[in-house]
Each structure stands twice: as C-alpha cells, then as structure tokens.
Amino acid sequence: MEYQEIIQEMISRKQGHLRMDLFNLYLEKLRILESKTRIHVCRDPDDDKFLSCAIDAKAIYIVSGDKDLLDIRDYHGVKVITAAEFCERFGL
C-alpha cells in the first residue's frame, strides 16, 4: 500500500515523530472507498483525488506533506495538516 511506504519513509527520516505501531492501529480500521465527488481545486490535479475522497468520507483531516495540498489548509471543512501537526494535536 502506498501509504505504508510513505509512512515508513517519513519514520526513517524522523518526520512528525511517527511510529509504525501506531499507524498499524489506524490501518486496522481503514476502509477503502471509491470517491464519487469530482473536484478541481488543487494546483496539482493529481491531488484532487485526496480532497474528493476526504469529502465523500466526511473526513475531518487530510494528513500530508504535499505542499500543494497544505497550501489549501481547509476545503469544505476538511483540514489539511502535516503529520507533525496531527501528532501534536492528538498527543502522539
């Protein structure tokens, strides 16, 4: 899974104080869904899929290191934050 590879890379670079054991707890609850919403707001069109999926899933956060997504900060109630911000907010 692409997300596992990205998290592992971030852990090896010591970004955001992430731990794979905590990430695995999230993976156990992960549900894959196909987005029905189509938006076109990101500078990088490849990133639109993440906002679309977050909106359809009624997500509160997108955790990302992607500059284009981070510049959006908030889209229809979905907040885009870094892993470090996420960890800080939730005491991880």
Side-chain angles (χ1 to χ4, degrees), residues 33-78:
L33 62 95
E34 185 175 329
S35 178
K36 303 213 182 322
T37 300
R38 298 290 179 244
I39 60 167
H40 306 285
V41 297
C42 295
R43 278 189 305 245
D44 179 353
D46 286 339
D47 292 337
D48 285 331
K49 63 185 170 220
F50 299 112
L51 281 171
S52 295
C53 184
I55 289 167
D56 286 352
K58 297 178 177 45
I60 299 169
Y61 296 103
I62 292 175
V63 180
S64 178
D66 185 285
K67 177 96 171 102
D68 294 324
L69 279 173
L70 288 168
D71 283 348
I72 291 171
R73 298 303 299 164
D74 189 302
Y75 184 78
H76 291 273
V78 178

Side-chain angles (χ1 to χ4, degrees), residues 3-13 20 23:
Y3 296 110
Q4 286 172 301
E5 293 171 15
I6 291 169
I7 294 293
Q8 191 59 53
E9 181 180 326
M10 292 174 74
I11 289 170
S12 66
R13 286 197 249 154
M20 189 52 91
F23 180 67

